[in-house]
Coordinates of all heavy atoms in Angstrom, one line a residue:
M15 N -89.7 65.2 -5.7 CA -91.1 65.4 -5.6 C -91.6 66.7 -6.5 O -92.6 66.6 -7.1 CB -91.5 65.6 -4.2 CG -93.0 65.8 -3.9 SD -93.4 65.6 -2.2 CE -93.1 67.2 -1.6
F16 N -90.8 67.7 -6.5 CA -91.2 68.9 -7.1 C -90.5 69.1 -8.5 O -90.8 70.1 -9.2 CB -90.9 70.2 -6.3 CG -91.6 70.2 -5.0 CD1 -91.0 70.0 -3.8 CD2 -93.0 70.5 -5.0 CE1 -91.7 70.0 -2.6 CE2 -93.7 70.5 -3.8 CZ -93.1 70.2 -2.6
G17 N -89.7 68.1 -8.9 CA -89.1 68.2 -10.2 C -87.8 69.0 -10.2 O -87.3 69.5 -9.2
R18 N -87.2 69.1 -11.4 CA -85.9 69.6 -11.5 C -85.8 71.1 -11.2 O -84.8 71.7 -11.0 CB -85.3 69.3 -12.8 CG -85.0 67.8 -13.0 CD -83.9 67.5 -13.9 NE -82.6 68.1 -13.5 CZ -81.8 67.7 -12.6 NH1 -82.1 66.6 -11.9 NH2 -80.7 68.3 -12.3
Q19 N -87.0 71.8 -11.3 CA -86.9 73.3 -11.1 C -86.5 73.7 -9.8 O -86.1 74.8 -9.6 CB -88.3 73.9 -11.5 CG -89.4 73.5 -10.5 CD -90.2 72.3 -11.0 OE1 -89.8 71.6 -11.8 NE2 -91.4 72.2 -10.4
V20 N -86.5 72.8 -8.8 CA -86.1 73.1 -7.4 C -84.6 73.5 -7.4 O -84.1 74.3 -6.6 CB -86.3 72.0 -6.4 CG1 -87.8 71.7 -6.2 CG2 -85.5 70.8 -6.7
F21 N -83.8 73.0 -8.4 CA -82.4 73.3 -8.4 C -82.1 74.7 -8.9 O -81.0 75.2 -8.7 CB -81.7 72.3 -9.3 CG -81.7 70.9 -8.7 CD1 -82.6 69.9 -9.2 CD2 -80.8 70.6 -7.7 CE1 -82.6 68.7 -8.6 CE2 -80.8 69.3 -7.1 CZ -81.7 68.4 -7.5
D22 N -83.1 75.4 -9.5 CA -82.9 76.8 -9.9 C -82.7 77.6 -8.6 O -82.1 78.7 -8.7 CB -84.2 77.3 -10.6 CG -84.3 76.6 -12.0 OD1 -83.3 76.0 -12.4 OD2 -85.4 76.6 -12.5
N23 N -83.4 77.2 -7.5 CA -83.3 78.0 -6.3 C -82.4 77.4 -5.2 O -82.3 77.9 -4.1 CB -84.7 78.2 -5.7 CG -85.6 79.0 -6.6 OD1 -85.2 80.1 -7.1 ND2 -86.7 78.5 -6.9
F24 N -81.8 76.3 -5.5 CA -81.0 75.6 -4.6 C -79.5 76.1 -4.6 O -78.9 76.1 -5.7 CB -81.0 74.1 -4.8 CG -80.3 73.3 -3.8 CD1 -80.5 73.4 -2.5 CD2 -79.4 72.3 -4.2 CE1 -79.8 72.7 -1.5 CE2 -78.7 71.5 -3.3 CZ -78.9 71.7 -2.0
T25 N -79.0 76.5 -3.5 CA -77.7 77.1 -3.4 C -76.6 76.0 -3.5 O -75.4 76.4 -3.7 CB -77.5 78.0 -2.2 OG1 -77.6 77.1 -1.0 CG2 -78.5 79.1 -2.1
G26 N -77.0 74.8 -3.2 CA -76.0 73.7 -3.2 C -75.6 73.3 -1.8 O -74.9 72.3 -1.5
S27 N -76.0 74.1 -0.8 CA -75.7 73.7 0.6 C -77.0 73.6 1.3 O -78.0 74.3 1.1 CB -74.8 74.8 1.3 OG -75.5 76.0 1.4
G28 N -77.1 72.7 2.2 CA -78.3 72.4 3.0 C -78.0 71.6 4.2 O -76.8 71.2 4.4
A29 N -79.0 71.4 5.0 CA -78.8 70.6 6.3 C -80.0 69.8 6.6 O -81.1 70.3 6.2 CB -78.5 71.6 7.4
T30 N -79.9 68.7 7.2 CA -81.1 67.9 7.6 C -81.0 67.8 9.1 O -79.9 67.9 9.7 CB -81.1 66.5 7.0 OG1 -79.9 65.8 7.3 CG2 -81.2 66.7 5.4
Q31 N -82.1 67.5 9.7 CA -82.2 67.3 11.2 C -83.1 66.1 11.4 O -84.2 66.0 10.9 CB -82.9 68.6 11.8 CG -83.3 68.4 13.2 CD -82.1 68.3 14.2 OE1 -81.2 69.1 14.1 NE2 -82.2 67.4 15.1
S32 N -82.5 65.2 12.2 CA -83.3 64.0 12.6 C -83.7 64.2 14.0 O -82.9 64.1 15.0 CB -82.4 62.7 12.5 OG -83.1 61.6 13.1
W33 N -85.0 64.4 14.2 CA -85.5 64.6 15.6 C -85.4 63.3 16.4 O -85.3 63.3 17.6 CB -86.9 65.1 15.6 CG -87.0 66.5 15.0 CD1 -87.4 66.9 13.8 CD2 -86.4 67.7 15.7 NE1 -87.2 68.2 13.6 CE2 -86.6 68.8 14.8 CE3 -85.8 67.9 16.9 CZ2 -86.2 70.1 15.1 CZ3 -85.5 69.2 17.2 CH2 -85.7 70.3 16.3
A34 N -85.5 62.2 15.7 CA -85.4 60.9 16.4 C -84.0 60.7 17.0 O -83.8 60.0 18.0 CB -85.7 59.7 15.4
R35 N -83.0 61.4 16.4 CA -81.6 61.2 16.9 C -81.2 62.4 17.7 O -80.1 62.4 18.3 CB -80.6 61.1 15.7 CG -80.8 59.8 15.0 CD -79.8 59.6 13.9 NE -80.1 58.4 13.1 CZ -79.8 58.1 11.9 NH1 -79.2 59.1 11.2 NH2 -80.0 57.0 11.3
A36 N -82.1 63.4 17.9 CA -81.7 64.5 18.7 C -81.8 64.1 20.2 O -82.7 63.5 20.6 CB -82.7 65.7 18.5
R37 N -80.7 64.4 20.9 CA -80.5 63.9 22.3 C -81.7 64.3 23.2 O -82.2 63.4 24.0 CB -79.2 64.5 22.8 CG -79.0 64.0 24.2 CD -77.6 64.5 24.7 NE -77.4 64.1 26.1 CZ -76.4 64.5 26.8 NH1 -75.5 65.4 26.3 NH2 -76.2 64.1 28.0
Y38 N -82.3 65.5 23.1 CA -83.3 65.9 24.0 C -84.7 65.7 23.4 O -85.7 65.8 24.1 CB -83.1 67.3 24.4 CG -81.8 67.4 25.2 CD1 -80.7 68.1 24.7 CD2 -81.6 66.8 26.5 CE1 -79.5 68.2 25.4 CE2 -80.5 66.9 27.2 CZ -79.4 67.6 26.7 OH -78.2 67.7 27.3
A39 N -84.8 65.6 22.1 CA -86.1 65.4 21.5 C -86.5 63.9 21.4 O -87.6 63.6 21.8 CB -86.1 66.0 20.1
L40 N -85.6 63.1 21.0 CA -85.9 61.6 20.9 C -87.2 61.3 20.1 O -87.9 60.4 20.5 CB -85.9 61.0 22.3 CG -84.6 61.0 23.0 CD1 -84.7 60.4 24.4 CD2 -83.5 60.2 22.2
G41 N -87.4 62.1 19.1 CA -88.6 61.8 18.3 C -89.4 63.1 18.0 O -89.1 64.1 18.6
E42 N -90.3 63.0 17.1 CA -91.1 64.1 16.8 C -92.6 63.9 17.1 O -93.3 64.7 17.7 CB -90.9 64.5 15.3 CG -91.8 65.6 14.8 CD -92.8 65.2 13.8 OE1 -92.7 64.1 13.2 OE2 -93.8 65.9 13.6
A43 N -93.1 62.7 16.6 CA -94.5 62.4 16.9 C -94.6 60.9 16.5 O -93.6 60.3 16.0 CB -95.4 63.2 16.0
V44 N -95.8 60.3 16.7 CA -96.0 58.9 16.3 C -95.9 58.8 14.8 O -96.3 59.7 14.1 CB -97.3 58.4 16.8 CG1 -98.5 59.1 16.1 CG2 -97.4 56.9 16.7
I45 N -95.2 57.8 14.4 CA -95.1 57.5 12.9 C -95.6 56.1 12.7 O -94.9 55.1 13.0 CB -93.6 57.6 12.4 CG1 -93.0 58.9 12.8 CG2 -93.6 57.3 10.9 CD1 -93.6 60.1 12.1
F46 N -96.8 56.0 12.3 CA -97.5 54.7 12.1 C -97.0 54.1 10.8 O -96.8 54.8 9.8 CB -99.0 54.8 12.0 CG -99.6 55.2 13.3 CD1 -100.4 56.4 13.4 CD2 -99.5 54.3 14.4 CE1 -101.0 56.7 14.6 CE2 -100.2 54.6 15.6 CZ -100.9 55.8 15.7
T47 N -96.8 52.8 10.7 CA -96.6 52.1 9.5 C -98.0 51.9 8.9 O -99.0 52.0 9.5 CB -95.9 50.8 9.7 OG1 -96.6 50.0 10.7 CG2 -94.5 51.0 10.3
P48 N -98.0 51.5 7.6 CA -99.3 51.4 6.9 C -100.2 50.4 7.7 O -99.8 49.3 8.0 CB -98.9 50.8 5.5 CG -97.6 51.4 5.3 CD -96.9 51.4 6.6
G49 N -101.4 50.8 8.0 CA -102.4 49.9 8.6 C -102.4 50.1 10.1 O -103.4 49.8 10.8
Q50 N -101.3 50.6 10.7 CA -101.3 50.7 12.2 C -102.3 51.8 12.8 O -102.9 51.5 13.8 CB -99.9 51.1 12.7 CG -98.9 49.9 12.7 CD -97.6 50.3 13.4 OE1 -97.2 51.4 13.4 NE2 -97.0 49.3 14.0
L51 N -102.5 52.9 12.1 CA -103.4 53.9 12.6 C -104.8 53.3 12.7 O -105.5 53.3 13.7 CB -103.4 55.1 11.7 CG -104.5 56.2 12.0 CD1 -104.3 56.7 13.4 CD2 -104.5 57.3 11.0
H52 N -105.2 52.6 11.6 CA -106.5 52.0 11.6 C -106.6 50.9 12.7 O -107.6 50.8 13.4 CB -106.8 51.4 10.2 CG -108.2 50.8 10.0 ND1 -109.3 51.6 9.9 CD2 -108.6 49.6 10.0 CE1 -110.3 50.9 9.8 NE2 -110.0 49.6 9.8
E53 N -105.6 50.1 12.8 CA -105.6 49.0 13.8 C -105.5 49.5 15.2 O -106.2 48.9 16.1 CB -104.3 48.1 13.5 CG -104.2 46.9 14.3 CD -103.0 46.1 14.0 OE1 -102.3 46.4 13.0 OE2 -102.6 45.2 14.8
H54 N -104.8 50.5 15.5 CA -104.6 50.9 17.0 C -105.5 52.0 17.4 O -105.6 52.2 18.6 CB -103.1 51.3 17.2 CG -102.1 50.2 16.9 ND1 -102.3 48.9 17.5 CD2 -101.0 50.1 16.2 CE1 -101.3 48.2 17.1 NE2 -100.5 48.9 16.3
H55 N -106.1 52.7 16.5 CA -106.8 53.9 16.9 C -107.8 53.7 18.0 O -107.9 54.4 19.0 CB -107.4 54.6 15.7 CG -108.2 55.8 16.0 ND1 -107.7 56.9 16.5 CD2 -109.6 56.0 16.0 CE1 -108.6 57.8 16.8 NE2 -109.8 57.3 16.5
P56 N -108.7 52.7 17.9 CA -109.7 52.5 18.9 C -109.0 52.3 20.3 O -109.5 52.7 21.3 CB -110.5 51.3 18.5 CG -110.2 51.2 17.0 CD -108.8 51.7 16.8
A57 N -107.9 51.5 20.3 CA -107.3 51.2 21.6 C -106.6 52.4 22.3 O -106.6 52.6 23.5 CB -106.3 50.1 21.4
T58 N -106.0 53.2 21.4 CA -105.1 54.3 22.0 C -106.0 55.3 22.8 O -105.5 56.1 23.6 CB -104.3 55.1 20.9 OG1 -105.2 55.6 19.9 CG2 -103.3 54.2 20.3
R59 N -107.3 55.4 22.4 CA -108.1 56.5 23.0 C -109.1 55.9 24.1 O -109.9 56.6 24.6 CB -108.9 57.2 22.0 CG -109.7 56.2 21.1 CD -110.4 57.0 19.9 NE -111.4 57.8 20.4 CZ -111.8 58.9 19.7 NH1 -111.3 59.3 18.6 NH2 -112.8 59.6 20.2
T60 N -108.9 54.6 24.4 CA -109.8 53.9 25.3 C -109.3 54.2 26.7 O -108.2 53.9 27.0 CB -109.9 52.4 25.1 OG1 -110.3 52.2 23.7 CG2 -110.8 51.7 26.0
R61 N -110.2 54.7 27.6 CA -109.8 55.0 29.0 C -109.6 53.7 29.7 O -110.2 52.6 29.4 CB -110.8 55.9 29.7 CG -112.1 55.2 30.0 CD -113.0 56.3 30.7 NE -114.3 55.8 30.8 CZ -114.8 55.1 31.8 NH1 -114.0 54.8 32.8 NH2 -116.1 54.7 31.8
E62 N -108.7 53.7 30.7 CA -108.4 52.6 31.5 C -108.7 53.0 33.0 O -108.0 53.7 33.6 CB -106.9 52.2 31.4 CG -106.5 50.9 32.0 CD -107.0 49.7 31.2 OE1 -107.2 49.8 30.0 OE2 -107.3 48.7 31.9
G63 N -109.9 52.6 33.4 CA -110.4 53.0 34.7 C -110.5 54.5 34.8 O -111.2 55.1 34.0
R64 N -109.8 55.1 35.7 CA -109.9 56.6 35.8 C -108.8 57.3 34.9 O -108.7 58.5 35.0 CB -109.7 57.0 37.3 CG -110.8 56.4 38.2 CD -110.5 56.7 39.6 NE -110.5 58.2 39.9 CZ -110.0 58.7 41.0 NH1 -109.4 58.0 41.9 NH2 -109.9 60.0 41.1
I65 N -108.1 56.5 34.2 CA -107.0 57.1 33.4 C -107.5 57.4 32.0 O -108.0 56.4 31.3 CB -105.8 56.2 33.3 CG1 -105.3 56.0 34.8 CG2 -104.7 56.8 32.5 CD1 -104.1 55.0 34.9
H66 N -107.4 58.6 31.5 CA -107.8 59.0 30.2 C -106.6 59.4 29.3 O -105.7 60.0 29.9 CB -108.8 60.2 30.2 CG -110.1 59.8 30.9 ND1 -111.3 59.7 30.2 CD2 -110.4 59.6 32.2 CE1 -112.2 59.4 31.1 NE2 -111.8 59.3 32.3
F67 N -106.6 59.0 28.1 CA -105.5 59.2 27.2 C -105.7 60.3 26.2 O -106.8 60.3 25.5 CB -105.1 57.9 26.5 CG -104.7 56.8 27.4 CD1 -105.6 55.9 27.9 CD2 -103.4 56.7 27.9 CE1 -105.3 54.9 28.8 CE2 -103.0 55.8 28.8 CZ -104.0 54.8 29.3
A68 N -104.8 61.2 26.1 CA -104.9 62.3 25.1 C -103.5 62.4 24.4 O -102.5 61.8 24.9 CB -105.2 63.6 25.7
G69 N -103.4 63.1 23.3 CA -102.2 63.3 22.6 C -102.4 63.0 21.1 O -103.3 62.3 20.8
E70 N -101.5 63.6 20.3 CA -101.7 63.4 18.9 C -101.8 62.0 18.4 O -102.5 61.7 17.5 CB -100.5 64.1 18.1 CG -99.1 63.8 18.6 CD -98.5 62.5 18.0 OE1 -99.0 62.1 17.0 OE2 -97.6 62.0 18.6
H71 N -101.1 61.1 19.2 CA -101.1 59.7 18.8 C -102.5 59.0 19.0 O -102.7 57.9 18.5 CB -100.0 58.9 19.5 CG -100.3 58.9 21.0 ND1 -100.1 60.1 21.8 CD2 -100.6 58.0 21.9 CE1 -100.4 59.8 23.0 NE2 -100.7 58.6 23.1
T72 N -103.4 59.7 19.7 CA -104.7 59.1 20.0 C -105.7 59.6 19.0 O -106.9 59.3 19.1 CB -105.2 59.3 21.4 OG1 -105.5 60.7 21.6 CG2 -104.1 58.9 22.4
S73 N -105.3 60.5 18.1 CA -106.2 61.2 17.2 C -106.1 60.6 15.8 O -105.3 59.8 15.5 CB -105.9 62.7 17.1 OG -104.8 62.9 16.3
L74 N -107.0 61.1 15.0 CA -107.0 60.7 13.6 C -106.1 61.6 12.7 O -106.1 61.5 11.5 CB -108.4 60.6 13.0 CG -109.2 59.3 13.4 CD1 -110.6 59.4 12.9 CD2 -108.5 58.0 12.9
K75 N -105.5 62.6 13.4 CA -104.5 63.5 12.8 C -103.2 63.4 13.5 O -102.7 64.3 14.1 CB -105.1 64.9 12.7 CG -106.3 65.0 11.9 CD -107.0 66.3 12.2 CE -108.3 66.3 11.4 NZ -109.4 67.1 12.1
P76 N -102.6 62.2 13.5 CA -101.4 62.0 14.3 C -100.3 62.8 13.7 O -100.2 63.1 12.5 CB -101.1 60.5 14.1 CG -101.8 60.1 12.9 CD -103.0 60.9 12.8
A77 N -99.4 63.3 14.6 CA -98.2 64.1 14.2 C -98.6 65.5 13.9 O -97.7 66.3 13.4 CB -97.4 63.5 13.1
W78 N -99.8 65.9 14.2 CA -100.2 67.3 14.0 C -100.7 67.9 15.3 O -101.3 67.3 16.1 CB -101.3 67.4 12.9 CG -100.9 67.0 11.5 CD1 -101.1 65.8 10.9 CD2 -100.1 67.8 10.6 NE1 -100.5 65.8 9.7 CE2 -99.9 67.0 9.5 CE3 -99.5 69.0 10.7 CZ2 -99.2 67.4 8.4 CZ3 -98.8 69.5 9.6 CH2 -98.6 68.7 8.5
I79 N -100.5 69.3 15.4 CA -101.0 70.0 16.5 C -102.5 69.9 16.6 O -103.1 69.7 17.7 CB -100.6 71.5 16.5 CG1 -99.0 71.6 16.6 CG2 -101.2 72.3 17.5 CD1 -98.5 72.9 16.3
E80 N -103.1 69.9 15.4 CA -104.6 69.8 15.4 C -105.1 68.5 16.0 O -106.1 68.5 16.7 CB -105.1 69.9 13.9 CG -106.6 70.0 13.8 CD -107.0 70.2 12.3 OE1 -106.2 70.4 11.5 OE2 -108.2 70.0 12.1
G81 N -104.4 67.4 15.8 CA -104.8 66.2 16.4 C -104.6 66.2 17.9 O -105.4 65.6 18.6
A82 N -103.5 66.8 18.3 CA -103.3 66.9 19.8 C -104.4 67.7 20.4 O -104.9 67.3 21.5 CB -101.9 67.6 20.0
L83 N -104.8 68.8 19.8 CA -105.9 69.7 20.4 C -107.2 68.9 20.4 O -108.0 69.0 21.3 CB -106.0 71.0 19.6 CG -104.8 71.9 19.8 CD1 -104.9 73.1 18.9 CD2 -104.6 72.4 21.2
E84 N -107.5 68.3 19.3 CA -108.8 67.5 19.2 C -108.8 66.4 20.3 O -109.8 66.2 20.9 CB -108.9 66.8 17.8 CG -109.4 67.7 16.8 CD -109.6 67.0 15.4 OE1 -109.5 65.8 15.4 OE2 -109.9 67.7 14.5
S85 N -107.7 65.8 20.5 CA -107.6 64.7 21.5 C -107.8 65.3 22.9 O -108.4 64.7 23.8 CB -106.4 63.9 21.4 OG -105.3 64.6 22.0
A86 N -107.3 66.5 23.1 CA -107.4 67.2 24.4 C -108.9 67.5 24.7 O -109.3 67.3 25.8 CB -106.5 68.5 24.4
V87 N -109.6 68.0 23.7 CA -111.0 68.3 23.8 C -111.8 67.0 24.2 O -112.6 67.0 25.1 CB -111.5 69.0 22.6 CG1 -113.1 69.1 22.7 CG2 -110.9 70.4 22.4
R88 N -111.5 66.0 23.4 CA -112.2 64.7 23.6 C -112.0 64.2 25.0 O -112.9 63.8 25.8 CB -111.7 63.6 22.6 CG -112.3 62.2 22.9 CD -111.6 61.1 22.1 NE -110.2 61.2 22.1 CZ -109.4 60.7 23.1 NH1 -109.9 60.3 24.3 NH2 -108.1 60.8 23.0
A89 N -110.7 64.2 25.5 CA -110.4 63.6 26.8 C -111.0 64.5 27.9 O -111.5 64.0 28.9 CB -108.9 63.5 27.0
S90 N -111.0 65.8 27.7 CA -111.6 66.7 28.7 C -113.1 66.5 28.8 O -113.6 66.4 29.9 CB -111.4 68.2 28.3 OG -110.0 68.5 28.2
L91 N -113.8 66.3 27.7 CA -115.2 66.0 27.7 C -115.5 64.7 28.4 O -116.4 64.5 29.1 CB -115.8 66.0 26.3 CG -115.8 67.4 25.6 CD1 -116.2 67.3 24.1 CD2 -116.7 68.3 26.4
E92 N -114.6 63.7 28.1 CA -114.8 62.4 28.8 C -114.7 62.5 30.3 O -115.5 61.9 31.0 CB -113.7 61.4 28.3 CG -113.9 60.9 26.9 CD -112.7 60.0 26.4 OE1 -111.7 59.8 27.2 OE2 -112.7 59.6 25.3
V93 N -113.7 63.2 30.7 CA -113.5 63.4 32.2 C -114.7 64.2 32.7 O -115.3 63.8 33.8 CB -112.2 64.1 32.5 CG1 -112.1 64.5 33.9 CG2 -111.0 63.3 32.1
N94 N -115.1 65.2 32.0 CA -116.2 66.0 32.5 C -117.5 65.2 32.6 O -118.4 65.5 33.4 CB -116.4 67.2 31.5 CG -117.1 68.4 32.2 OD1 -116.8 68.7 33.4 ND2 -117.9 69.1 31.5
D95 N -117.7 64.3 31.7 CA -118.9 63.5 31.7 C -119.0 62.5 32.8 O -120.1 61.9 33.0 CB -119.1 62.7 30.3 CG -119.5 63.7 29.2 OD1 -119.9 64.8 29.5 OD2 -119.3 63.2 28.0
R96 N -117.9 62.2 33.5 CA -117.9 61.2 34.5 C -118.6 61.7 35.8 O -118.5 62.8 36.2 CB -116.5 60.7 34.8 CG -115.9 59.9 33.7 CD -114.4 59.6 34.1 NE -114.4 58.8 35.2 CZ -114.1 57.5 35.2 NH1 -113.8 56.9 34.1 NH2 -114.1 56.8 36.3
Ligands
FAD918 C1 -89.6 69.8 15.1 C2 -91.1 69.6 15.1 C3 -91.9 70.2 14.1 C4 -93.2 70.1 14.1 N1 -93.9 70.8 13.2 C5 -95.3 70.7 13.2 C6 -96.1 71.5 12.4 O1 -95.5 72.4 11.6 N2 -97.4 71.5 12.4 C7 -98.0 70.6 13.3 O2 -99.3 70.6 13.3 N3 -97.3 69.8 14.1 C8 -96.0 69.9 14.1 N4 -95.2 69.1 15.0 C9 -95.9 68.1 15.8 C10 -96.6 68.7 17.0 O3 -95.7 69.5 17.7 C11 -97.1 67.5 17.9 O4 -97.9 66.7 17.1 C12 -97.8 68.0 19.1 O5 -97.0 68.9 19.8 C13 -98.2 66.8 20.0 O6 -98.8 67.3 21.1 P1 -99.1 66.3 22.3 O7 -99.8 67.1 23.3 O8 -99.8 65.1 21.8 O9 -97.7 65.9 22.8 P2 -96.5 66.8 23.4 O10 -96.5 68.2 22.8 O11 -95.3 65.9 23.1 O12 -96.8 66.9 24.9 C14 -96.5 65.8 25.8 C15 -96.1 66.4 27.1 O13 -96.0 65.4 28.1 C16 -94.8 65.7 28.9 N5 -94.4 64.4 29.6 C17 -93.8 63.4 29.0 N6 -93.6 62.4 29.9 C18 -94.2 62.9 31.1 C19 -94.3 62.3 32.4 N7 -93.8 61.1 32.7 N8 -94.9 63.1 33.3 C20 -95.4 64.3 33.0 N9 -95.3 64.9 31.8 C21 -94.7 64.1 30.8 C22 -93.8 66.2 27.9 O14 -92.8 67.0 28.6 C23 -94.7 67.1 27.1 O15 -94.8 68.4 27.6 C24 -93.9 69.2 15.0 C25 -93.1 68.6 16.0 C26 -91.7 68.7 16.0 C27 -90.9 68.0 17.0

């Protein structure tokens, strides 16, 4: 992605971490395939009776803290409006 210049600063040793394979993490955040965000977004945030849904996966900024916070505000306002 950044071109060959990255090798100027690369020591030759590195490590990767798979959160999906981490025993206690079992994932990092929702990972939508192309089209899924658009397809599922209205449903993920729809309340079901007295149950309201929040979380990064219900936002338009999935996998980000900002999306989680936005969804928390939305769900809080929904509950407050009832
Ligand atoms: C390694 C890593 C790096 C990241 N880096 C960034 C970054 O740099 N910037 C960024 O913006 N985002 C980053 N993220 C993503 C960000 O952390 C998440 O998008 C955000 O924390 C999601 O918040 P959430 O409230 O939707 O869900 P969560 O933070 O996952 O909260 C869900 C909560 O529900 C609890 N829970 C689950 N099941 C139950 C149950 N049955 N009963 C009661 N409680 C339950 C869980 O214990 C958890 O506390 C990173 C995530 C990881 C894992």
Side-chain angles (χ1 to χ4, degrees):
M15 185 167 82
F16 297 109
R18 295 212 51 84
Q19 68 266 18
V20 297
F21 291 101
D22 295 342
N23 297 310
F24 183 50
T25 62
S27 63
T30 61
Q31 167 72 41
S32 169
W33 293 106
R35 292 183 182 152
R37 183 176 177 190
Y38 297 112
L40 292 177
E42 178 246 339
V44 66
I45 306 292
F46 290 119
T47 56
Q50 280 189 330
L51 174 62
H52 186 73
E53 185 182 347
H54 298 310
H55 178 65
T58 57
R59 55 187 290 154
T60 303
R61 71 180 167 91
E62 190 69 33
R64 297 175 61 196
I65 302 175
H66 294 254
F67 297 94
E70 49 84 21
H71 61 291
T72 70
S73 78
L74 284 174
K75 293 162 187 154
W78 294 101
I79 293 169
E80 188 179 348
L83 292 174
E84 279 184 8
S85 78
V87 171
R88 172 192 48 78
S90 300
L91 290 173
E92 286 174 4
V93 171
N94 205 39
D95 285 346
R96 290 175 65 106

